[in-house]
Amino acid sequence: MIDIKEKSKCCGCTACKNICPVNAIKMIEDDEGFLYPKVDQKICINCGLCEKVCPITNKLNLKNEMQKAYVVNNKDDQVRMESTSGGAFTAIAEYVISKNGVVFGATFDDEFYVHHTYVENKEELGKFRGSKYVQSDVKECFKETKNFLDSGRLVCFSGTPCQIQGLKKYLQYEYENLITVDVVCRAVPSPLVLKKYIEYQKIKLNVDKFNAIAFRNKEKYGYKYSTMTLKSDNNSYYQGVETDPYLRAFFKNYSDRPACFDCKFRNPNRVSDFTIWDCFTIGEICKELDDNKGTTRVIVHNKKAIEIFNEIKNKFNYEEISMDVATNNVKELKTAPIPNEKRNEFFNDIRILPPDKFFEKYFPDSIKVKVERRIRKIFVHTTLYNKLKKVAKKLINK
Ligand SMILES: Cc1cc2nc3c(=O)[nH]c(=O)nc-3n(C[C@H](O)[C@H](O)[C@H](O)COP(=O)(O)OP(=O)(O)OC[C@H]3O[C@@H](n4cnc5c(N)ncnc54)[C@H](O)[C@@H]3O)c2cc1C
Ligand code: SF4
Ligand code: SF4
Ligand code: SF4
């Protein structure tokens, strides 16, 4: 039976929990706020299925016989604005819905807890749009996916590479009616850090409740400087990666799951049908598509995905590119982040310090942060911004 001795050996995909025939496995939150499987030995019948489906301990079966790569912008501007990059995911999902299919993805609940669920109509797809930079709780979704597949429905399951690999191991069968979409994934932060951050921002911004949270909102500064955004009835907060404490924790590798530092899914070859991710360098790849509203890089990994792409390509302004151009210099496909040297201290403090003390200890509003914020406000809409940012960083770090 599954017994997690090293946290880096569990990505929390839930395949083991979903496969257990006697429901002996529960996903339990650890001190850092991540879910790990725990077996109730009194119920376990030692069938071994949980170990068999684990995507971390079992060999990956990567077979991408005919990959093609594209950069795409969804022609629907509203979809694109609500999506993280170019809105590729929505076009794939709409195709599935148009065939009376079911789409699984990550959404918020009322308390901004991120979890997987499914939708069966186009109007509800909006809840999946936009990357939630926190680990999504898959709950019972693998079982629900199998039920839909067995009933003959077309199913699209979207998620991180480890979730897709976990789903495939759980299903143990290549369903023709399953379409999988994974993202290129840097890492997933802890849901506990997001919870604490929301408490912190309620205090700081003096609001009782947020109506919306977006980790990569484009409305104020465009795609290339998308911001963490919090909206309440009378307040809107927009801060970028250098100044917002939640994004700083993520990109400085404080808040990520241990398995992400040793991720075995970091590879351009996948078990999924589609892989989607950002394209900030679209200006160098295809100038005509560069309008700062967001572009998705898409790899289609097999014949089924190529056929679907051909059916939906009229929804995009797009360009076919080589696999080399698509994947060169994409460090998230090749190297794992290195844990911040203060990561342990950070997670010790999270349960002890009040929200304001906690975030201000690790992410103070220092002179460096203030300078960065000021530079961004003045220059972000000009081409000078990136150049000035580099110069300012050099000066500050001297
Ligand atoms: C945790 C995470 C880390 C990422 N890291 C990188 C990176 O390092 N580099 C990079 O270029 N791109 C990264 N991406 C991908 C990128 O943010 C966009 O998702 C991608 O560009 C597709 O955008 P889109 O406009 O086509 O679709 P969108 O409409 O933005 O699609 C969102 C899709 O992501 C899924 N999703 C959202 N949040 C989660 C979550 N927490 N867990 C699982 N699935 C989720 C939804 O179900 C949906 O399928 C990451 C995404 C996530 C979720
Ligand atoms: S060995 Fe079988 S019964 Fe025991 S926890 Fe694993 S799947 Fe469940
Ligand atoms: S990686 Fe997935 S299958 Fe393996 S132990 Fe963790 S939750 Fe279970
Ligand atoms: S970095 Fe790897 S282990 Fe972590 S969530 Fe992404 S795919 Fe899973």
Side-chain angles (χ1 to χ4, degrees), residues 236-253:
S236 284
Y237 162 98
Y238 301 89
Q239 289 296 328
V241 65
E242 296 86 0
T243 57
D244 174 76
Y246 186 82
L247 295 182
R248 285 168 76 189
F250 181 30
F251 288 100
K252 298 259 185 236
N253 310 328

PDB file of all heavy atoms in Angstrom, residues 236-253:
ATOM      1  N   SER A 236      -9.945  47.759  -5.970  1.00  0.00           N
ATOM      2  CA  SER A 236      -9.265  46.832  -6.894  1.00  0.00           C
ATOM      3  C   SER A 236      -7.767  46.944  -6.677  1.00  0.00           C
ATOM      4  O   SER A 236      -7.227  48.050  -6.657  1.00  0.00           O
ATOM      5  CB  SER A 236      -9.573  47.178  -8.351  1.00  0.00           C
ATOM      6  OG  SER A 236     -10.858  46.759  -8.671  1.00  0.00           O
ATOM      7  N   TYR A 237      -7.135  45.802  -6.513  1.00  0.00           N
ATOM      8  CA  TYR A 237      -5.694  45.757  -6.227  1.00  0.00           C
ATOM      9  C   TYR A 237      -5.002  45.099  -7.419  1.00  0.00           C
ATOM     10  O   TYR A 237      -5.433  44.038  -7.874  1.00  0.00           O
ATOM     11  CB  TYR A 237      -5.504  44.941  -4.950  1.00  0.00           C
ATOM     12  CG  TYR A 237      -4.105  44.418  -4.689  1.00  0.00           C
ATOM     13  CD1 TYR A 237      -3.250  45.089  -3.826  1.00  0.00           C
ATOM     14  CD2 TYR A 237      -3.662  43.221  -5.272  1.00  0.00           C
ATOM     15  CE1 TYR A 237      -1.969  44.588  -3.563  1.00  0.00           C
ATOM     16  CE2 TYR A 237      -2.394  42.727  -5.013  1.00  0.00           C
ATOM     17  CZ  TYR A 237      -1.552  43.406  -4.158  1.00  0.00           C
ATOM     18  OH  TYR A 237      -0.298  42.910  -3.909  1.00  0.00           O
ATOM     19  N   TYR A 238      -3.953  45.723  -7.931  1.00  0.00           N
ATOM     20  CA  TYR A 238      -3.168  45.144  -9.037  1.00  0.00           C
ATOM     21  C   TYR A 238      -1.695  45.258  -8.672  1.00  0.00           C
ATOM     22  O   TYR A 238      -1.183  46.370  -8.530  1.00  0.00           O
ATOM     23  CB  TYR A 238      -3.344  45.944 -10.331  1.00  0.00           C
ATOM     24  CG  TYR A 238      -4.749  46.064 -10.856  1.00  0.00           C
ATOM     25  CD1 TYR A 238      -5.563  47.105 -10.448  1.00  0.00           C
ATOM     26  CD2 TYR A 238      -5.234  45.148 -11.796  1.00  0.00           C
ATOM     27  CE1 TYR A 238      -6.850  47.228 -10.940  1.00  0.00           C
ATOM     28  CE2 TYR A 238      -6.520  45.276 -12.297  1.00  0.00           C
ATOM     29  CZ  TYR A 238      -7.325  46.317 -11.866  1.00  0.00           C
ATOM     30  OH  TYR A 238      -8.595  46.436 -12.359  1.00  0.00           O
ATOM     31  N   GLN A 239      -0.998  44.152  -8.498  1.00  0.00           N
ATOM     32  CA  GLN A 239       0.454  44.226  -8.273  1.00  0.00           C
ATOM     33  C   GLN A 239       1.153  43.098  -9.029  1.00  0.00           C
ATOM     34  O   GLN A 239       0.634  41.985  -9.111  1.00  0.00           O
ATOM     35  CB  GLN A 239       0.800  44.109  -6.783  1.00  0.00           C
ATOM     36  CG  GLN A 239       0.422  45.330  -5.948  1.00  0.00           C
ATOM     37  CD  GLN A 239       1.184  46.596  -6.348  1.00  0.00           C
ATOM     38  OE1 GLN A 239       2.333  46.514  -6.775  1.00  0.00           O
ATOM     39  NE2 GLN A 239       0.543  47.749  -6.240  1.00  0.00           N
ATOM     40  N   GLY A 240       2.322  43.404  -9.510  1.00  0.00           N
ATOM     41  CA  GLY A 240       3.052  42.443 -10.331  1.00  0.00           C
ATOM     42  C   GLY A 240       3.969  41.534  -9.533  1.00  0.00           C
ATOM     43  O   GLY A 240       4.014  41.574  -8.301  1.00  0.00           O
ATOM     44  N   VAL A 241       4.733  40.768 -10.268  1.00  0.00           N
ATOM     45  CA  VAL A 241       5.535  39.697  -9.704  1.00  0.00           C
ATOM     46  C   VAL A 241       6.634  40.211  -8.752  1.00  0.00           C
ATOM     47  O   VAL A 241       7.033  39.515  -7.822  1.00  0.00           O
ATOM     48  CB  VAL A 241       6.101  38.841 -10.856  1.00  0.00           C
ATOM     49  CG1 VAL A 241       7.067  39.625 -11.712  1.00  0.00           C
ATOM     50  CG2 VAL A 241       6.722  37.586 -10.381  1.00  0.00           C
ATOM     51  N   GLU A 242       7.078  41.443  -8.947  1.00  0.00           N
ATOM     52  CA  GLU A 242       8.162  41.946  -8.084  1.00  0.00           C
ATOM     53  C   GLU A 242       7.631  42.496  -6.773  1.00  0.00           C
ATOM     54  O   GLU A 242       8.381  42.614  -5.807  1.00  0.00           O
ATOM     55  CB  GLU A 242       8.954  43.068  -8.780  1.00  0.00           C
ATOM     56  CG  GLU A 242       9.692  42.653 -10.025  1.00  0.00           C
ATOM     57  CD  GLU A 242       8.814  42.715 -11.262  1.00  0.00           C
ATOM     58  OE1 GLU A 242       7.619  43.093 -11.126  1.00  0.00           O
ATOM     59  OE2 GLU A 242       9.293  42.369 -12.355  1.00  0.00           O
ATOM     60  N   THR A 243       6.354  42.882  -6.746  1.00  0.00           N
ATOM     61  CA  THR A 243       5.870  43.592  -5.560  1.00  0.00           C
ATOM     62  C   THR A 243       4.774  42.868  -4.783  1.00  0.00           C
ATOM     63  O   THR A 243       4.601  43.119  -3.600  1.00  0.00           O
ATOM     64  CB  THR A 243       5.380  45.010  -5.937  1.00  0.00           C
ATOM     65  OG1 THR A 243       4.372  44.885  -6.928  1.00  0.00           O
ATOM     66  CG2 THR A 243       6.501  45.857  -6.498  1.00  0.00           C
ATOM     67  N   ASP A 244       4.037  41.985  -5.412  1.00  0.00           N
ATOM     68  CA  ASP A 244       2.969  41.286  -4.683  1.00  0.00           C
ATOM     69  C   ASP A 244       3.553  40.132  -3.856  1.00  0.00           C
ATOM     70  O   ASP A 244       4.298  39.297  -4.393  1.00  0.00           O
ATOM     71  CB  ASP A 244       1.937  40.727  -5.670  1.00  0.00           C
ATOM     72  CG  ASP A 244       0.911  39.885  -4.939  1.00  0.00           C
ATOM     73  OD1 ASP A 244       0.041  40.480  -4.281  1.00  0.00           O
ATOM     74  OD2 ASP A 244       1.024  38.637  -4.977  1.00  0.00           O
ATOM     75  N   PRO A 245       3.226  40.056  -2.562  1.00  0.00           N
ATOM     76  CA  PRO A 245       3.843  39.024  -1.710  1.00  0.00           C
ATOM     77  C   PRO A 245       3.532  37.586  -2.139  1.00  0.00           C
ATOM     78  O   PRO A 245       4.395  36.714  -2.024  1.00  0.00           O
ATOM     79  CB  PRO A 245       3.244  39.285  -0.324  1.00  0.00           C
ATOM     80  CG  PRO A 245       2.646  40.621  -0.382  1.00  0.00           C
ATOM     81  CD  PRO A 245       2.365  40.960  -1.808  1.00  0.00           C
ATOM     82  N   TYR A 246       2.306  37.339  -2.644  1.00  0.00           N
ATOM     83  CA  TYR A 246       1.982  35.966  -3.034  1.00  0.00           C
ATOM     84  C   TYR A 246       2.824  35.533  -4.239  1.00  0.00           C
ATOM     85  O   TYR A 246       3.409  34.444  -4.259  1.00  0.00           O
ATOM     86  CB  TYR A 246       0.489  35.823  -3.363  1.00  0.00           C
ATOM     87  CG  TYR A 246       0.116  34.384  -3.627  1.00  0.00           C
ATOM     88  CD1 TYR A 246      -0.139  33.515  -2.575  1.00  0.00           C
ATOM     89  CD2 TYR A 246       0.076  33.869  -4.921  1.00  0.00           C
ATOM     90  CE1 TYR A 246      -0.438  32.176  -2.805  1.00  0.00           C
ATOM     91  CE2 TYR A 246      -0.222  32.537  -5.169  1.00  0.00           C
ATOM     92  CZ  TYR A 246      -0.480  31.702  -4.101  1.00  0.00           C
ATOM     93  OH  TYR A 246      -0.774  30.374  -4.325  1.00  0.00           O
ATOM     94  N   LEU A 247       2.917  36.433  -5.239  1.00  0.00           N
ATOM     95  CA  LEU A 247       3.716  36.098  -6.430  1.00  0.00           C
ATOM     96  C   LEU A 247       5.199  36.030  -6.083  1.00  0.00           C
ATOM     97  O   LEU A 247       5.936  35.201  -6.620  1.00  0.00           O
ATOM     98  CB  LEU A 247       3.463  37.119  -7.548  1.00  0.00           C
ATOM     99  CG  LEU A 247       2.047  37.146  -8.135  1.00  0.00           C
ATOM    100  CD1 LEU A 247       1.956  38.168  -9.267  1.00  0.00           C
ATOM    101  CD2 LEU A 247       1.611  35.772  -8.650  1.00  0.00           C
ATOM    102  N   ARG A 248       5.628  36.871  -5.163  1.00  0.00           N
ATOM    103  CA  ARG A 248       7.041  36.814  -4.754  1.00  0.00           C
ATOM    104  C   ARG A 248       7.332  35.468  -4.082  1.00  0.00           C
ATOM    105  O   ARG A 248       8.370  34.843  -4.331  1.00  0.00           O
ATOM    106  CB  ARG A 248       7.369  37.970  -3.807  1.00  0.00           C
ATOM    107  CG  ARG A 248       7.500  39.307  -4.541  1.00  0.00           C
ATOM    108  CD  ARG A 248       7.523  40.482  -3.604  1.00  0.00           C
ATOM    109  NE  ARG A 248       8.786  40.669  -2.918  1.00  0.00           N
ATOM    110  CZ  ARG A 248       8.960  41.549  -1.915  1.00  0.00           C
ATOM    111  NH1 ARG A 248       7.942  42.308  -1.494  1.00  0.00           N
ATOM    112  NH2 ARG A 248      10.128  41.679  -1.353  1.00  0.00           N
ATOM    113  N   ALA A 249       6.417  35.016  -3.234  1.00  0.00           N
ATOM    114  CA  ALA A 249       6.615  33.713  -2.576  1.00  0.00           C
ATOM    115  C   ALA A 249       6.696  32.596  -3.615  1.00  0.00           C
ATOM    116  O   ALA A 249       7.532  31.689  -3.524  1.00  0.00           O
ATOM    117  CB  ALA A 249       5.470  33.445  -1.601  1.00  0.00           C
ATOM    118  N   PHE A 250       5.844  32.691  -4.636  1.00  0.00           N
ATOM    119  CA  PHE A 250       5.821  31.658  -5.690  1.00  0.00           C
ATOM    120  C   PHE A 250       7.118  31.692  -6.505  1.00  0.00           C
ATOM    121  O   PHE A 250       7.807  30.686  -6.644  1.00  0.00           O
ATOM    122  CB  PHE A 250       4.587  31.890  -6.568  1.00  0.00           C
ATOM    123  CG  PHE A 250       4.396  30.897  -7.702  1.00  0.00           C
ATOM    124  CD1 PHE A 250       4.836  29.585  -7.604  1.00  0.00           C
ATOM    125  CD2 PHE A 250       3.731  31.271  -8.866  1.00  0.00           C
ATOM    126  CE1 PHE A 250       4.641  28.672  -8.641  1.00  0.00           C
ATOM    127  CE2 PHE A 250       3.536  30.366  -9.907  1.00  0.00           C
ATOM    128  CZ  PHE A 250       3.992  29.069  -9.797  1.00  0.00           C
ATOM    129  N   PHE A 251       7.442  32.875  -7.027  1.00  0.00           N
ATOM    130  CA  PHE A 251       8.578  32.933  -7.955  1.00  0.00           C
ATOM    131  C   PHE A 251       9.938  32.898  -7.256  1.00  0.00           C
ATOM    132  O   PHE A 251      10.958  32.663  -7.897  1.00  0.00           O
ATOM    133  CB  PHE A 251       8.425  34.122  -8.910  1.00  0.00           C
ATOM    134  CG  PHE A 251       7.329  33.870  -9.924  1.00  0.00           C
ATOM    135  CD1 PHE A 251       6.067  34.413  -9.765  1.00  0.00           C
ATOM    136  CD2 PHE A 251       7.546  33.021 -10.995  1.00  0.00           C
ATOM    137  CE1 PHE A 251       5.046  34.141 -10.670  1.00  0.00           C
ATOM    138  CE2 PHE A 251       6.536  32.737 -11.916  1.00  0.00           C
ATOM    139  CZ  PHE A 251       5.285  33.306 -11.743  1.00  0.00           C
ATOM    140  N   LYS A 252       9.958  33.111  -5.937  1.00  0.00           N
ATOM    141  CA  LYS A 252      11.225  32.952  -5.200  1.00  0.00           C
ATOM    142  C   LYS A 252      11.276  31.579  -4.506  1.00  0.00           C
ATOM    143  O   LYS A 252      12.089  31.338  -3.607  1.00  0.00           O
ATOM    144  CB  LYS A 252      11.385  34.055  -4.152  1.00  0.00           C
ATOM    145  CG  LYS A 252      11.455  35.461  -4.732  1.00  0.00           C
ATOM    146  CD  LYS A 252      12.886  35.968  -4.790  1.00  0.00           C
ATOM    147  CE  LYS A 252      12.898  37.400  -5.262  1.00  0.00           C
ATOM    148  NZ  LYS A 252      13.683  37.706  -6.396  1.00  0.00           N
ATOM    149  N   ASN A 253      10.350  30.702  -4.868  1.00  0.00           N
ATOM    150  CA  ASN A 253      10.400  29.290  -4.458  1.00  0.00           C
ATOM    151  C   ASN A 253      10.280  29.051  -2.952  1.00  0.00           C
ATOM    152  O   ASN A 253      10.936  28.164  -2.400  1.00  0.00           O
ATOM    153  CB  ASN A 253      11.676  28.621  -4.985  1.00  0.00           C
ATOM    154  CG  ASN A 253      11.889  28.872  -6.449  1.00  0.00           C
ATOM    155  OD1 ASN A 253      10.918  28.996  -7.197  1.00  0.00           O
ATOM    156  ND2 ASN A 253      13.132  28.988  -6.866  1.00  0.00           N
TER     157      ASN A 253
END
